[in-house]
Amino acid sequence: LPVGDPNRCVAAKRCAAGPQRLTLPDVHSTVSTPTGLITLPAAGATPASLLNRMTFLEDGSGVRPFVNGNVFLANPSAGLQSQSGGPEAYLADLSFNVGPFGNEVRQEALFTGFKFDATDRFNIHGDVIISNTESNTYDQPGIPHLQGGQANWQATIYSGNPFLPASVQQIMTAENRPFIRIDKLGQPMGISDFDSYESQHNQFSTWTANAGFDFDLNGNWQLSGYYQSGETDRTTIIYNETRIDRLFMAIDAVRDANGAIVCNVQKVNPTAAQLQAAVAGRTFNGQQTKPITRTSPVGGDNAIRDCAPLNILGAGKSSQAARDYVHDDRIAHTNVQQDFAELVLDGELFAGFGAGPVSVAGGLTWRDSSFRQYFETTSGDPLDGPPVNADALGIRGIPAGYTVSTSMFMFGGVPNISGEYDVWEMFGEVNIPVWESASGNQRLEFNFAGRNSDYSRSGEIVSWKAGTSFQVLEDLRLRSTLSRDVREPSFAELFDQQGTAASVQDPAFTPAKSQQLTIVNGGNPNLSPEEADTTTIGVVYQPTFGNWLDGFQVSLDWYEIDIEGLIASLGAQRLVDDCFRGSTLACGYVERDPATNDVLRVSNIFLNINSATVSGVDAEVVYRMEPDFFSSEAENFSIRALIGYMGENSQVSLGAPKLEQAGGPGRPEWSSTVSATYGLGAFDLMLRANYFDSVLVNAIWNEGVEVDDNVTASSTVWNMGLGYNGETASGSTWRANFNVTNLFDREPPIIASFSTRFGSQTVSNDYDVFGRRYQVSFNYNF
């Protein structure tokens, strides 16, 4: 840590000359506590407060000093406050290391198909698939979210709040302090708080049906076609999610003229006309593609009339009525429909040039896709856009961070959006054998293909491919391909919008400041199609001499893919970093508080981020043999290795320098899959190893500067399968399988991470995270 700022020295340790690095094995945030931490100007500031860094007792009856841990780091001006050890860290462990509480997955599927040979040259066929999948999470402990080490997210408790202990109210009165700010995050196990027991329900229902035909026209030309239609419905329900507008109106408790505890807004009891006047002329950036207008600063579903005062001081002191009030059920519906038709004609065009016939294929396709997504609540109110303060109406204390949220739910809502497009495509391919030696051991042929796609959204796009294959010797073949590939943006990339919470490390502050913010992930209707130029050059070697190499084959392919107009979302952290590095594009999606310069909101939409390049080498090695360990049974053995090397995986965003990601998270330089199979009669045994090379924790970090160790270790996971094939007297066949995934129960590597709440461990889906598991299956064909 640089030592120029004495606030960054830790207990007078590590303050030697020059920059120092501090490694905390068990880091916990000091700005958040389940009982509530008061954050006010400290001693030496004007005006100072005796309440600063006092935390409430668990029963909310008083306060005590917050106890710093064994190692403590504080720089309030930059929002850095963290510690290792101590009683507060122990309380954080009780509040967060809880694990899953209850999960359920259910799936049903039905498949049926047919094929009818009308003549020996004409048949019709079809199939239908119907499926339903549910995934549910029950009784998931909530996380009261009133934290961040900054006023943008903390709760405000005003003087006169009847839940304040008398000792705290006396100090506030003596200091002429109209309010205090409370930093509260988490709940100890076994204690119900206002954000407890959130549950999620997800249901997918899908059907697909298609019918087609195959027609042999004259023994040389074949005509085929089919039509497919399908639909998917998705329903996602989050039960008991916290409503921002209700939460902060409930926190702002006062006493009415009769001495009863009520919400401050109920004392004013604003009329519908007053509520509408408070937001007249304002537009809100919700989850829709365009700004919206509203008729109230808060939800219009009797949120003011039904307000129940909420006590957030201490742990679990809120009433059941208040907990029920601050919750609502968030329901999202999505419907996707697609119709597709294709007609293909293929055959031999003519006898060719002596090396074989010239064959062609061509056809026509049509696809029509549409979707609709809409959001509802049990209350029926749309709740789009953020709640805002209206002090004159008694609506106050909503932190600035939440006033740029995308909906009145704490973790975002779902936009009401829809879209559709259709595309007509014509395509053709020709394979031309050019030359073949008299022995047939040498051969040269070319392949050309092209496709014209006419999208209703973006117009015509042309893609093409040119390839060659040259059998130089009987055991050596060269191959190469050059192609132009295109991709139209998907529905999600064009139209989807989803708001949620996020955190970033903001380099605009020195040192980098942890920021809690609202992030909007989603679509961009102005996207253009991607265009990629792909070049591959390869060699295949299959020895034909010597018995010891019989069954051996090796191939090696070099590839480079250059993409223009790459469609991707950069992520909140990348947008903040690129803006700091001078990208005007990125800065257009980062919204800051004009007074504090804190990041409040990041629009992480899909963009054509200019260009990307991926290059590397893929290799395949195969060896097959027929051993004779048991002469009475037929035996076979094979081993196959797929090896990949990624030399470059870079992106260049508009206005930002090149970012190299090869060797970074999820993009190992080396990866491989090696499998061996041994068969003995009806039995077979398979072993497979998946290797994932070590990668950087963060591609832009410098080891020894931002972090001591920037490497995630490599990982190798072994799988095993045992199978048996059988046949009945009637000719039916069956197979039984026993599979073990992660045979040696290998744990995923540790990925260094951090959190503003507590020490954390990131788990990546690039690795096996479930440990050893078993599967038994039986298939019967008749």
Side-chain angles (χ1 to χ4, degrees), residues 304-639:
I304 294 174
R305 184 200 67 183
D306 297 337
C307 187
L310 176 68
N311 182 5
I312 67 168
L313 309 180
K317 305 307 295 180
S318 53
S319 68
Q320 187 62 52
R323 297 174 198 166
D324 293 340
Y325 167 72
V326 300
H327 293 157
D328 202 350
D329 297 337
R330 177 161 67 90
I331 307 169
H333 300 280
T334 304
N335 175 268
V336 178
Q337 299 182 34
Q338 186 176 89
D339 292 279
F340 178 84
E342 183 174 75
L343 196 65
V344 179
L345 178 68
D346 65 272
E348 295 179 359
L349 189 62
F350 66 99
F353 308 102
V358 175
S359 56
V360 298
L364 181 69
T365 68
W366 166 80
R367 184 172 71 253
D368 183 87
S369 304
S370 64
F371 87 102
R372 178 178 178 237
Q373 177 177 280
Y374 61 97
F375 166 44
E376 65 174 322
T377 65
T378 51
S379 63
D381 200 76
L383 305 178
D384 195 21
V388 292
N389 291 305
D391 289 8
L393 304 183
I395 302 171
R396 60 182 183 173
I398 302 173
Y402 287 116
T403 61
V404 293
S405 180
T406 57
S407 81
M408 294 192 196
F409 281 98
M410 180 163 283
F411 298 108
V414 176
N416 297 321
I417 53 178
S418 62
E420 63 179 333
Y421 69 85
D422 63 79
V423 56
W424 285 90
E425 295 182 306
M426 294 184 297
F427 59 89
E429 183 174 2
V430 56
N431 190 67
I432 307 174
V434 176
W435 170 78
E436 184 176 77
S437 66
S439 65
N441 293 332
Q442 290 86 39
R443 180 181 177 86
L444 175 65
E445 63 181 46
F446 295 100
N447 179 272
F448 302 96
R451 180 180 293 263
N452 181 276
S453 305
D454 190 359
Y455 287 89
S456 58
R457 239 198 93 257
S458 55
E460 290 189 71
I461 309 172
V462 176
S463 55
W464 53 267
K465 181 190 76 169
T468 182
S469 175
F470 183 23
Q471 191 77 35
V472 182
L473 301 169
E474 184 179 1
D475 49 9
L476 181 65
R477 178 162 56 95
L478 304 179
R479 59 191 180 190
S480 65
T481 302
L482 181 64
S483 67
R484 163 64 59 87
D485 308 298
V486 297
R487 187 179 75 86
E488 173 78 0
S490 68
F491 277 145
E493 293 165 339
L494 288 168
F495 304 113
D496 196 14
Q497 294 278 320
Q498 181 66 59
T500 186
S503 63
V504 299
Q505 293 293 310
D506 188 359
F509 294 84
T510 302
K513 180 178 181 179
S514 177
Q515 300 270 26
Q516 307 296 319
L517 51 91
T518 294
I519 179 173
V520 181
N521 298 307
N524 178 1
N526 298 316
L527 289 174
S528 300
E530 292 179 344
E531 293 187 358
D533 292 325
T534 302
T535 304
T536 64
I537 300 174
V539 57
V540 179
Y541 178 61
Q542 188 172 9
T544 57
F545 58 90
N547 292 331
W548 72 278
L549 281 178
D550 285 348
F552 177 79
Q553 177 180 311
V554 60
S555 64
L556 197 66
D557 291 278
W558 171 86
Y559 65 89
E560 180 174 293
I561 306 172
D562 296 299
I563 306 175
E564 293 296 327
L566 177 70
I567 297 173
S569 57
L570 296 174
Q573 185 65 63
R574 174 76 181 276
L575 286 167
V576 171
D577 288 343
D578 282 359
C579 179
F580 176 72
R581 295 157 71 189
S583 170
T584 55
L585 173 73
C587 289
Y589 299 105
V590 178
E591 183 177 339
R592 293 183 177 272
D593 187 313
T596 65
N597 202 37
D598 289 332
V599 178
L600 299 179
R601 175 170 170 152
V602 174
S603 296
N604 182 38
I605 65 174
F606 286 100
L607 301 168
N608 291 107
I609 60 173
N610 198 17
S611 64
T613 298
V614 180
S615 64
V617 177
D618 288 334
E620 179 182 19
V621 180
V622 179
Y623 180 61
R624 299 181 178 89
M625 64 174 294
E626 295 182 356
D628 191 20
F629 302 133
F630 306 95
S631 58
S632 61
E633 295 284 352
E635 298 177 66
N636 61 81
F637 174 78
S638 66
I639 186 168

Side-chain angles (χ1 to χ4, degrees), residues 46-229:
T46 304
S49 175
L50 297 176
L51 294 173
N52 181 56
R53 298 191 60 73
M54 302 293 283
T55 185
F56 284 89
L57 303 176
E58 287 192 21
D59 63 3
S61 63
V63 294
R64 63 169 175 80
F66 187 94
V67 181
N68 295 333
N70 303 324
V71 179
F72 172 65
L73 171 66
N75 187 349
S77 64
L80 284 180
Q81 297 179 329
S82 58
Q83 72 178 42
S84 179
E88 315 297 353
Y90 174 73
L91 188 59
D93 280 336
L94 292 180
S95 302
F96 290 101
N97 295 341
V98 294
F101 267 53
N103 296 278
E104 174 187 60
V105 176
R106 298 168 54 189
Q107 185 176 43
E108 305 90 27
L110 172 68
F111 168 81
T112 183
F114 75 92
K115 180 180 179 182
F116 174 65
D117 292 323
T119 71
D120 58 351
R121 294 169 52 190
F122 179 77
N123 71 73
I124 57 175
H125 52 82
D127 59 65
V128 176
I129 302 174
I130 302 173
S131 67
N132 180 73
T133 303
E134 292 184 26
S135 61
N136 305 307
T137 303
Y138 298 107
D139 299 329
Q140 182 178 358
I143 303 176
H145 249 267
L146 302 169
Q147 49 71 243
Q150 51 196 6
N152 292 334
W153 303 93
Q154 296 169 342
T156 299
I157 304 294
Y158 291 92
S159 180
N161 188 303
F163 298 127
L164 280 169
S167 58
V168 175
Q169 182 62 67
Q170 290 173 1
I171 296 175
M172 292 179 66
T173 301
E175 294 181 354
N176 193 27
R177 194 165 299 282
F179 61 84
I180 58 175
R181 289 199 172 96
I182 304 296
D183 207 308
K184 181 181 175 73
L185 178 68
Q187 57 178 331
M189 282 290 295
I191 297 179
S192 296
D193 220 320
F194 65 86
D195 196 14
S196 300
Y197 306 119
E198 179 181 289
S199 297
Q200 298 186 26
H201 170 83
N202 301 280
Q203 181 173 359
F204 292 82
S205 299
T206 300
W207 67 264
T208 301
N210 77 73
F213 70 90
D214 297 304
F215 185 24
D216 186 340
L217 298 177
N218 58 7
N220 179 34
W221 292 92
Q222 290 80 39
L223 179 67
S224 62
Y226 76 96
Y227 178 85
Q228 177 179 318
S229 184

Side-chain angles (χ1 to χ4, degrees), residues 697-712:
V697 176
N698 189 307
I700 65 173
W701 282 354
N702 297 301
E703 194 167 278
V705 180
E706 285 89 357
V707 67
D708 286 330
D709 184 357
N710 194 29
V711 176
T712 299

